[in-house]
Amino acid sequence: MQVQRMILNECSYFGPGARKVLGEEIEKRKFHKIFVVTDKSLLEHHVTAKVLEELDNHLIGYEVFSDIKPNPTVASVLDGLKKCKDSLSDCILAVGGGSVIDTAKAIGIIMTNDDHRDVVSLDGSVNTESRALPIIAMPTTAGTAAEVTINYVITDEERKKKMVCVDPHDIPILSIVDTELMSEMPENIAAWTGMDALTHAMEGFITKNAWEMSDMFHLQAMTMINRHIVNAVLNHDMESINQMGVAQYIAGMGFSNVGLGIVHSMAHQLGAVYDTPHGLANAILLPYVMAYNGTVCVEKFNRMGEAFGLDMNALTKEEIIQKVVDHIFALNEQLHIPKRLIEIGVVEEDLKMLAEKAMQDVCTAGNPKEVSASDLLEIYQKAYK
Ligand SMILES: NC(=O)c1ccc[n+]([C@@H]2O[C@H](COP(=O)([O-])OP(=O)(O)OC[C@H]3O[C@@H](n4cnc5c(N)ncnc54)[C@H](O)[C@@H]3O)[C@@H](O)[C@H]2O)c1
Ligand SMILES: [Fe+2]
């Protein structure tokens, strides 16, 4: 066996109402002022308010920053950075989906690593000198698992690039996965973010660096997401929402440490060029990429099929791959996710450019099967119409 590294949060809480621990956890650490990072829509939906109430109950001072949009930008990071400095806070509390938590991570890193104040120099794997300003993360989507990963993704609008920034210094000191914060997600966002989590589990399971411990996380995440995603999204069943909150975190413990593959490389380009929601882009591409990757990891496809509860007995290699791919198509259909990229406004003439950009993405190196730009173009074309 080769040497492996595993980085996880020091402390995490899970379950409905888990936010009740927030006040005490902050008091214990003696932070004097909290810079709350969230977004406008979460303020409007009174999701952030549930957390602010905890700070108020404990008389903890805070300032709120909420100028963040999905697929968050360099400009947003710079704006938040200035406000964070001016607020003289000693802790960042992120309440939101991946876009909010990722922006908080970028702000936190630059607060303690001023040489990266241009933001764009954080692109890729970067060894910053200092740990980020302490970050507490409270996810409101069951999706990215940004609360436990060592990554954050920021869009450089100038280059139309989603920068995948990998840096262990950004990991939150505390994460609180309070599933009550996720319970009123609109159906489409719950479906997309849930499929993002499934993509993490499946890509993380077959990525080049996968090993026994990451396999354990990813298989469990697949089993749980498959069991609960439809019930959580379509029926708003609270126990399934609880299980989705845990499952996406479990997937995060895996992929954060071993990487992903070309579903993410290709999805990032759709986010950068068309501002496609991250989970939606992944969900559409997932079955097409799995059909491409299957030939090099059939045994793992068999195990994925078993995790989905499918009968995998007496199948040929081709049938094993097809059965898993069909299962993803069926899940997408149940969740009302489109089957083709043409349906979400992707332009056919752009596919070659998207394929060339996807080749450069950090996640491409982790794909189990070697790819060229023309392979990526072919997959985009198959997914197009
Ligand atoms: N850091 C990582 O490891 C990692 C992993 C995967 C993806 N990402 C990145 O995360 C971003 C996507 O994050 P996301 O999928 O969580 O979505 P998001 O944070 O972009 O949120 C999408 C929308 O849902 C709304 N929303 C979120 N929670 C809600 C709730 N509980 N109720 C009502 N509305 C709610 C938000 O206000 C927003 O309008 C992308 O930029 C993606 O690249 C990061
Ligand atoms: Fe993702």
Side-chain angles (χ1 to χ4, degrees):
M1 145 176 198
Q2 66 187 67
V3 175
Q4 297 282 2
R5 183 184 77 175
M6 193 47 73
I7 299 177
L8 302 169
N9 300 117
E10 277 164 31
C11 179
S12 302
Y13 290 89
F14 304 90
R19 64 185 179 283
K20 298 281 174 224
V21 303
L22 179 65
E24 262 182 40
E25 285 289 341
I26 290 175
E27 284 164 356
K28 204 162 74 183
R29 292 173 168 82
K30 302 196 184 333
F31 295 130
H32 76 273
K33 186 162 178 197
I34 309 297
F35 188 65
V36 178
V37 179
T38 188
D39 69 35
K40 293 253 165 0
S41 167
L42 289 163
L43 286 173
E44 276 162 25
H45 284 86
H46 306 291
V47 177
T48 314
K50 291 183 183 164
V51 177
L52 298 183
E53 195 183 304
E54 297 304 318
L55 298 180
D56 290 335
N57 288 345
H58 286 259
L59 305 175
I60 295 167
Y62 59 87
E63 209 161 294
V64 177
F65 170 67
S66 64
D67 282 328
I68 296 171
K69 67 166 209 47
N71 294 318
T73 61
V74 169
S76 211
V77 172
L78 290 172
D79 185 17
L81 179 67
K82 181 169 183 318
K83 288 179 177 139
C84 185
K85 279 184 186 159
D86 290 349
S87 75
L88 303 177
S89 300
D90 51 359
C91 171
I92 298 176
L93 170 63
V95 183
S99 297
V100 162
I101 299 177
D102 285 358
T103 306
K105 285 175 166 182
I107 294 171
I109 285 286
I110 305 173
M111 284 294 287
T112 55
N113 294 278
D114 188 58
D115 48 327
H116 288 289
R117 62 186 174 276
D118 63 347
V119 189
V120 291
S121 61
L122 291 165
D123 192 1
S125 286
V126 175
N127 288 320
T128 52
E129 226 163 78
S130 312
R131 269 205 78 160
L133 197 71
I135 298 167
I136 299 175
M138 300 182 67
T140 62
T141 59
T144 69
E147 71 277 12
V148 61
T149 71
I150 56 168
N151 321 313
Y152 53 102
V153 188
I154 303 294
T155 300
D156 177 356
E157 290 186 298
E158 225 165 86
R159 287 182 295 160
K160 287 208 179 308
K161 182 176 188 202
K162 279 196 88 146
M163 304 186 295
V164 181
C165 311
V166 186
D167 180 0
H169 279 153
D170 68 26
I171 194 160
I173 56 159
L174 172 68
S175 76
I176 303 176
V177 185
D178 181 344
T179 39
E180 278 174 9
L181 303 181
M182 302 167 174
S183 61
E184 282 161 47
M185 251 193 291
E187 201 170 288
N188 58 350
I189 293 175
W192 302 340
T193 53
M195 286 305 291
D196 181 27
L198 184 63
T199 307
H200 295 154
M202 294 182 75
E203 284 215 286
F205 186 60
I206 59 173
T207 195
K208 275 188 193 143
N209 295 328
W211 63 296
E212 287 79 355
M213 201 179 289
S214 62
D215 286 356
M216 171 186 79
F217 292 134
H218 291 132
L219 279 174
Q220 179 64 13
M222 277 184 257
T223 303
M224 292 172 73
I225 294 167
N226 181 66
R227 191 172 295 158
H228 294 287
I229 190 167
V230 173
N231 208 19
V233 173
L234 302 184
N235 305 327
H236 309 278
D237 178 83
M238 197 57 213
E239 196 39 41
S240 285
I241 292 170
N242 292 338
Q243 296 300 315
M244 283 298 294
V246 176
Q248 60 90 34
Y249 183 99
I250 295 175
M253 291 198 280
F255 87 84
S256 172
N257 287 290
V258 293
L260 293 165
I262 59 171
V263 181
H264 271 77
S265 313
M266 296 174 74
H268 287 150
Q269 313 320 316
L270 304 184
V273 175
Y274 308 107
D275 212 11
T276 310
H278 176 69
L280 173 63
N282 276 331
I284 297 177
L285 290 165
L286 181 62
Y288 299 99
V289 171
M290 286 295 144
Y292 172 81
N293 277 334
T295 49
V296 299
C297 41
V298 178
E299 189 268 335
K300 282 214 150 169
F301 268 60
N302 202 44
R303 289 165 72 192
M304 289 198 280
E306 285 168 1
F308 295 144
L310 306 174
D311 180 3
M312 302 305 286
N313 283 320
L315 299 180
T316 64
K317 286 182 179 176
E318 291 71 27
E319 286 167 344
I320 290 171
I321 298 164
Q322 198 55 47
K323 197 152 190 175
V324 171
V325 169
D326 287 345
H327 186 70
I328 304 307
F329 275 125
L331 260 186
N332 276 344
E333 197 178 335
Q334 270 183 288
L335 296 170
H336 311 126
I337 289 172
K339 199 171 178 185
R340 305 281 178 189
L341 296 176
I342 192 172
E343 297 172 61
I344 58 162
V346 174
V347 178
E348 194 161 19
E349 288 69 38
D350 289 347
L351 297 183
K352 189 160 181 285
M353 171 268 291
L354 295 170
E356 278 158 11
K357 283 166 82 97
M359 253 334 261
Q360 310 304 321
D361 191 276
V362 168
C363 297
T364 302
N367 199 62
K369 186 168 169 179
E370 293 307 317
V371 281
S372 63
S374 61
D375 295 325
L376 293 173
L377 176 59
E378 216 170 284
I379 302 170
Y380 273 132
Q381 283 165 337
K382 280 192 180 142
Y384 184 69
K385 64 181 177 190

